[in-house]
């Protein structure tokens, strides 16, 4: 039972950390969009999360599609898990 | 100043907390001592984490995720830098999977007009890509610091 609880906790912590990482990435992209005066949109299911630039001049626009969102999640997770497994296997007592 | 000792791991405080409090009381305080205490706390945590295999792997996981976020931010700014001034939409895709699209400003836009006007009036040469480049350089510097942090922490005594 303890092993199951530990495994579920690990999975939840991994999911939470990826969610926090993706949220911080999104905030960072919003800040960059604001600095660079762009129109920025992210596809989230059937909805769009969009940040419009002021309309007094034509501006460039950037759109992140579904595949981009999923690839970003997978990439963050893979980098984290890759680094963790590398350290776990190469760990030596200090 | 003694409040900074709370930043140390509990096991460390149990063992050395009382001695350290007396030592901190005897010093006059100041920014130098505060910095020493902060670096000391980082070293104490490093030692606690390095002693445990699972904690060590968890630390590596968080580090890897942070590096991934920074790499994606760098890719985003690079994509904008490459596609913003292109008249055609710039797609980032792998086969049928489209990850992102940048639609640049059109040649008739105010931005281009401003550039042509500045060139015609002999004003200083415009560098429209300068904000993107500055952002990119800043992000790369943060990435370098992030990659060097574990090594720096290891070298601290």
């Amino acid at each position: 039972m303890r092993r199951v609880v530990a495994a579920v906790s690990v999975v939840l912590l991994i999911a939470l950390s990826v969610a926090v990482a993706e949220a911080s990435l999104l905030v960072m992209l919003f800040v960059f969009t604001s600095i660079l005066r762009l129109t920025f949109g992210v596809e989230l299911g059937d909805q769009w999360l969009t940040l419009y630039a002021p309309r007094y001049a034509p501006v460039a626009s950037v759109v992140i599609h579904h595949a981009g969102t999923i690839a970003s999640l997978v990439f963050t997770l893979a980098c984290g898990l890759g680094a963790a497994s590398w350290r776990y296997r190469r760990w030596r007592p200090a | 100043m003694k409040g900074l000792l709370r930043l140390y791991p509990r096991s460390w405080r149990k063992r050395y907390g009382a001695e350290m409090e007396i030592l901190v009381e005897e010093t006059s305080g100041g920014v130098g001592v505060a910095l020493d205490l902060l670096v000391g706390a980082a070293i104490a945590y490093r030692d606690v984490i390095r002693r445990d295999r699972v904690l060590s792997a968890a630390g590596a996981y968080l580090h890897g995720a942070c590096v991934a976020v920074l790499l994606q931010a760098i890719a985003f700014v690079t994509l904008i830098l490459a596609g913003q001034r292109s008249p055609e939409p710039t797609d980032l895709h792998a086969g049928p999977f489209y990850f992102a699209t940048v639609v640049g400003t059109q040649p008739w836009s105010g931005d281009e007009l401003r550039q042509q006007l500045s060139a015609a009036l002999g004003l200083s040469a415009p560098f429209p890509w300068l904000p993107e480049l500055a952002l990119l350089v800043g992000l790369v510097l943060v990435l370098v610091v992030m990659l060097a942090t574990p090594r720096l922490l290891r070298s601290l005594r």
Side-chain angles (χ1 to χ4, degrees), chain A:
Chain A
M1 186 64 188
R2 282 182 68 182
R3 281 192 173 186
V4 175
V5 171
V8 171
S9 303
V10 167
V11 170
L12 285 177
L13 278 174
I14 287 173
L16 180 71
S17 57
V18 170
V20 170
E22 288 297 303
S24 50
L25 176 65
L26 189 63
V27 170
M28 215 192 287
L29 298 192
F30 274 141
V31 172
F32 292 170
T33 304
S34 167
I35 292 170
L36 301 176
R37 291 175 173 276
L38 306 167
T39 296
F40 177 60
V42 185
E43 263 186 296
L44 291 171
D46 295 338
Q47 313 252 318
W48 279 84
L49 191 64
T50 315
L51 191 75
Y52 284 103
R55 278 288 172 193
Y56 53 78
V59 291
S61 68
V62 188
V63 175
I64 309 290
H65 302 291
H66 279 135
T69 313
I70 293 165
S72 169
L73 277 168
V74 171
F75 182 69
T76 307
L77 189 64
C79 281
L81 290 179
S85 57
W86 178 266
R87 180 67 57 82
Y88 191 80
R89 288 182 64 188
R90 289 173 59 95
W91 183 84
R92 297 282 178 278

Side-chain angles (χ1 to χ4, degrees), chain B residues 13-77:
Chain B
R13 273 185 285 148
K14 265 188 188 167
R15 194 165 173 185
Y16 306 110
E19 288 173 49
M20 200 64 179
E21 274 189 23
I22 296 168
L23 206 63
V24 170
E25 274 175 5
E26 283 175 1
T27 60
S28 55
V31 181
V33 176
L35 272 177
D36 271 351
L37 287 174
L38 286 175
V39 172
I43 294 170
Y45 268 107
R46 176 205 65 187
D47 291 342
V48 168
I49 289 169
R50 281 180 71 187
R51 252 181 263 137
D52 189 288
R53 190 176 201 170
V54 175
L55 276 181
S56 203
Y61 173 81
L62 290 179
H63 186 250
C66 288
V67 169
V69 165
L70 271 174
L71 283 175
Q72 288 171 78
I74 288 172
F76 179 79
V77 179

Side-chain angles (χ1 to χ4, degrees), chain B residues 10 15 23 28-29 39 42 44 46 58 61 85 106 110 116-117 131 134 137 142 144-145 148:
Chain B
R10 193 179 295 170
R15 194 165 173 185
L23 206 63
S28 55
V39 172
R46 176 205 65 187
Y61 173 81
R85 263 90 200 174
Q106 299 302 310
Q116 285 168 7
L117 270 175
V137 170
V142 173
V144 168
V145 170

